[in-house]
Amino acid sequence: MIDLLGTPREALVRELVAVGVRPARAAQLFRVLHRSRGVTDLTPDLTGLEGKAVLATAELTESHRTDDGTEKLVFTLADGARIESVLVPMKLDRTTLCVSTQVGCAMACSFCATGTLGLKRSLTAGEILAQIHAARDHATAQGRAVGRLVFMGMGEPLHHYDATRDALHVLLDRLGAGFGSKSIMVSTVGLVPKMRRFSEDFGGRVGLALSLHAGTDATRLRIIPTARATPLADIRAALLDHPLPGSRYLMLEYVVLPGVNDTDEELDGVAAFVDGLYAVVNLIPFNPFAGAEFRTPTSDEVWAVHQGLRDRGVPAWIRWPRGRGAHGACGQLALQSPEETV
Ligand code: SAH
């Protein structure tokens, strides 16, 4: 079956031609699929493709808005599986969309609510696109424009790298969804071989964020079970090889877990890790969820980590929580309704 929404242009044309579509019509179909959202009824364009091609869907079935304007969207996929995306308003009328790539997640990070779900399945590239198109249409209807995509929703985007790669190619295609490479960022727990493929395939043009979360291997392993296969030294080597064209820099995410990863030893480790990298540490105060074994840091505790890093010469920012009220903040995407209190 041809994945209409998730196949990059050249491959799509090739696959459609192979099932008897004229090349010009195949090329036109790619544009229609990604450009004329919400305007065109695609049915006439798809006649004759029944049984040969599939148009992935993501139906918006719930939305929860918080006071800060953040909106969590719940999408139901064709098989009934549900995923969440988050619209985060930024400066002016620009909005960032936080995209999911899997139903649940296999990485099982102990500080992440999605990790507690386990992996149900990965999204196809078409489903990733369907989610983005639907979220974009929803935002547009409210006069908001999705200017930035972050692959930081449910799932590990590099765990099923091929779907993520295909989706990125379609998103970046000027005749496709038409996002600029600077406006897309992929976040990974640190799957080194896939990080290297990602660096190579996109030449560093698509933003890369690495979930660092600890300065020592021992602490990282305690909170990120998959870290066993990828010591910090290997991750650092892959980041050193990641090309950074133009003004790009790496983002290192660091969830602040008081008493766990905010000690001098951990911060010394972070400083050693960052030394020689062109990177900024993004501190994320731990966002709580039911059953979590960690405590949310006070703002003083977050500022102390910030200062500790600055003192060590490490550039750092704080990502204050957005969307906690709708369980739409980092690490809270677990298909719970906001009424289920923490
Ligand atoms: N699988 C990807 C995307 C995860 S979500 C990755 O591991 O990078 C984006 C960020 O939110 C990651 O850095 C993740 O570690 C972080 N995060 C997860 N749970 C969190 C929580 N409860 N509070 C704050 N940040 C969290």
Side-chain angles (χ1 to χ4, degrees):
M1 279 289 217
I2 303 172
D3 179 359
L4 288 169
L5 279 177
T7 308
R9 178 156 44 97
E10 281 177 21
L12 182 69
V13 171
R14 203 167 48 237
E15 289 176 23
L16 287 173
V17 168
V19 296
V21 179
R22 281 183 297 107
R25 195 185 148 222
Q28 186 202 14
L29 188 55
F30 179 81
R31 289 197 291 270
V32 171
L33 284 167
H34 299 289
R35 269 298 163 85
S36 318
R37 304 299 313 167
V39 200
T40 326
D41 174 13
L42 287 172
T43 322
D45 296 285
L46 301 182
T47 39
L49 288 173
E50 300 84 359
K52 296 174 189 157
V54 56
L55 185 67
T57 56
E59 192 196 341
L60 180 62
T61 42
E62 265 177 67
S63 73
H64 306 276
R65 215 176 160 132
T66 52
D67 296 340
D68 63 12
T70 301
E71 188 174 8
K72 182 168 85 170
L73 309 176
V74 181
F75 291 102
T76 304
L77 307 177
D79 65 350
R82 292 188 305 153
I83 49 157
E84 297 177 340
S85 327
V86 188
L87 286 166
V88 188
M90 306 303 279
K91 270 182 260 153
L92 303 169
D93 61 345
R94 305 308 271 177
T95 294
T96 294
L97 175 66
C98 181
V99 177
S100 288
T101 58
Q102 294 182 313
V103 183
C105 186
M107 300 298 122
C109 300
S110 56
F111 50 83
C112 178
T114 309
T116 64
L117 299 174
L119 177 65
K120 306 282 191 309
R121 70 174 177 86
S122 296
L123 266 58
T124 63
E127 286 173 328
I128 297 174
L129 261 298
Q131 166 195 185
I132 294 168
H133 284 324
R136 222 181 183 183
D137 289 348
H138 178 75
T140 308
Q142 302 174 5
R144 308 206 261 177
V146 174
R148 215 173 123 73
L149 299 176
V150 292
F151 283 57
M152 297 185 183
M154 301 171 90
E156 165 50 46
L158 300 189
H159 185 210
H160 56 126
Y161 177 67
D162 292 358
T164 298
R165 179 202 54 211
D166 285 356
L168 288 171
H169 280 306
V170 174
L171 290 166
L172 293 170
D173 194 318
R174 269 182 294 125
L175 302 177
F179 281 91
S181 58
K182 275 190 184 161
S183 55
I184 306 182
M185 178 165 282
V186 173
S187 177
T188 179
V189 73
L191 307 181
V192 170
K194 302 294 171 58
M195 283 167 69
R196 290 188 174 280
R197 281 183 61 193
F198 171 77
S199 304
E200 217 166 277
D201 289 342
F202 296 96
R205 288 176 308 117
V206 175
L208 176 61
L210 181 271
S211 290
L212 183 59
H213 301 330
T216 62
D217 279 315
T219 299
R220 196 160 190 273
L221 187 53
R222 199 182 130 199
I223 56 179
I224 304 178
T226 53
R228 188 173 297 285
T230 52
L232 286 168
D234 292 4
I235 294 178
R236 187 166 179 282
L239 293 179
L240 277 170
D241 288 340
H242 180 78
L244 290 170
S247 55
R248 288 166 178 76
Y249 53 87
L250 298 163
M251 185 190 281
L252 302 175
E253 293 156 296
Y254 203 89
V255 55
V256 179
L257 305 169
V260 178
N261 64 0
D262 59 351
T263 62
D264 281 341
E265 191 192 359
E266 297 301 322
L267 301 191
D268 287 346
V270 172
F273 184 91
V274 174
D275 188 34
L277 291 177
Y278 193 48
V280 174
V281 173
N282 209 196
L283 298 171
I284 317 173
F286 170 68
N287 291 310
F289 56 90
E293 55 178 298
F294 303 102
R295 172 171 76 72
T296 302
T298 63
S299 60
D300 282 352
E301 285 170 323
V302 180
W303 281 114
V305 175
H306 184 262
Q307 192 57 47
L309 291 176
R310 290 281 170 116
D311 291 345
R312 289 167 173 82
V314 178
W317 298 331
I318 301 173
R319 188 193 294 169
W320 293 109
R322 309 285 303 270
R324 262 189 197 166
H327 288 185
C330 302
Q332 292 188 312
L333 303 183
L335 296 162
Q336 269 187 332
S337 74
E339 291 72 41
E340 295 170 57
T341 48
V342 181

